[in-house]
Structure formats: structure tokens, C-alpha cells
Amino acid sequence: MFTGIISDVGEVIEMTPLGERNWLTIASAYPAKSINVGASIANAGVCLTVVGVEPHARGSAIAYDVGAETLAVATLGEWRTRGRVNLERALKVGDELGGHMVSGHADGIAEILARRDFDGMAHFALRAPKDLAKFIAVKGSVALDGTSLTVNAVDGDTFEVLLIPHTLNKVNIEVDQMARYAARLMEAR
């Protein structure tokens, strides 16, 4: 589990296709000795299992195998060398819950429709995949590229959030777990 509070911004060192999976290596400021093989780290909101780690310039080079399902539902397949990636280490018992509970299981890709910059902030209008729109509610939470955000407005499959300026065209989206369960209970009636 994660909280959507980014603790580092890494850089893609390598993204190599290997059949139906990709080999991904990310440079991070996390000390190599503090990361175990088998650990979970959210990369742009997508929980990946560490399969290798070694010291690297400013901290570590962390390697992952990225499977076909993850490549299909998230933006990872489009990542290129030197691209920047939001990183968050897995939540530990006793850690502060500064954002909201985030599983790191990307539900899909949201499209950025509009961006308005003002006062050092950015207002985004996004389109959620149709099957996810029902889980997004005003004042609810959504994770975009791993960042926990509050939803400001909803209209059908579009929604709005406010965040620090960012230069993206689309982002990985994970809907709030509580909203998912509430919607499922309502459908069961």
C-alpha cells in the first residue's frame, strides 16, 4: 500500500522490451542498501517489484520486470530513457497517511484535456476511461501518476484536479478504493 505522497523523482535509465515484458531500470536517490530485492515501489503510481538494485551516482539503480498487463493499462510502455518518474516506497506500519490509501494497481490511463496555470499551480481537466468514471466523486481522492489528489469537479467521464504545474499529456489513474467498494455495493442492490 502507498499514500500518494511522492518521496523521490527518479529517472529512466533503461526500458528494454523482452517479448511480452519490459526490463525497466530507474535511477533514484534512495540508498541502494535500503532497498531489498522483492520490495514494492510505486513508479508513477504503478506498484512494481524490485528484481535488482545496485549503487548508482546519487543513490541507486533499481531494476524491475514489467509485465504485459501493466504495459497494457498504464503509460510505462511509452517511457523513454531520461524520462522522469514519481517514486514512492511502500507504506510501513506506523507511517503517516498524508494522502489516501493507494494500492499501486493502475486502473487505466486518464487523458489530460486542458491545463490552466496560475499562481504557481495548475488546474487540470481530465477524461477518465468510461468504466472508471463512476468511481470518481467530488471531494473524493484519485491518484494520478502516483500523486494523491482531491477531485474538484466531475461531469460524466471528465473530472478536474488542482496541482503543481506538470507537463504531461496523459497520466496513470487509480480510483479511490472506498469509492470502488461503495459502487460495487450499490450495483449489488
Side-chain angles (χ1 to χ4, degrees), residues 35-41 47-53 62-64 90:
I35 301 170
N36 295 320
V37 170
S40 295
I41 297 178
C47 177
L48 298 174
T49 302
V50 175
V51 297
V53 62
I62 308 165
Y64 310 93

Side-chain angles (χ1 to χ4, degrees), residues 43-44 46 74-76 79 106 108-109 143-145 170-174:
N43 290 257
V46 178
T75 61
L76 280 76
W79 291 3
I109 298 171
L144 298 177
D145 269 2
K170 51 189 174 179
V171 291
N172 297 319
I173 181 172
E174 179 180 328

Side-chain angles (χ1 to χ4, degrees), residues 116-138:
R116 181 175 55 89
D117 294 324
F118 63 99
D119 297 334
M121 297 180 287
H123 175 268
F124 283 90
L126 302 104
R127 176 170 288 119
K130 295 257 187 244
D131 60 333
L132 299 180
K134 65 184 173 187
F135 301 120
I136 300 173
V138 173

Side-chain angles (χ1 to χ4, degrees), residues 8-92:
D8 187 26
V9 177
E11 183 177 302
V12 177
I13 297 174
E14 176 184 4
M15 176 63 99
T16 305
L18 301 170
E20 292 191 27
R21 66 181 172 91
N22 281 14
W23 180 263
L24 170 65
T25 307
I26 302 287
S28 169
Y30 299 146
K33 63 184 175 187
S34 72
I35 301 170
N36 295 320
V37 170
S40 295
I41 297 178
N43 290 257
V46 178
C47 177
L48 298 174
T49 302
V50 175
V51 297
V53 62
E54 59 186 47
H56 183 71
R58 62 181 186 107
S60 58
I62 308 165
Y64 310 93
D65 272 319
V66 182
E69 172 66 13
T70 301
L71 293 169
V73 300
T75 61
L76 280 76
E78 300 170 14
W79 291 3
R80 300 294 174 253
T81 302
R82 301 185 59 84
R84 297 173 59 79
V85 179
N86 290 338
L87 299 174
E88 181 186 0
R89 296 181 77 157
L91 184 64
K92 294 177 185 162

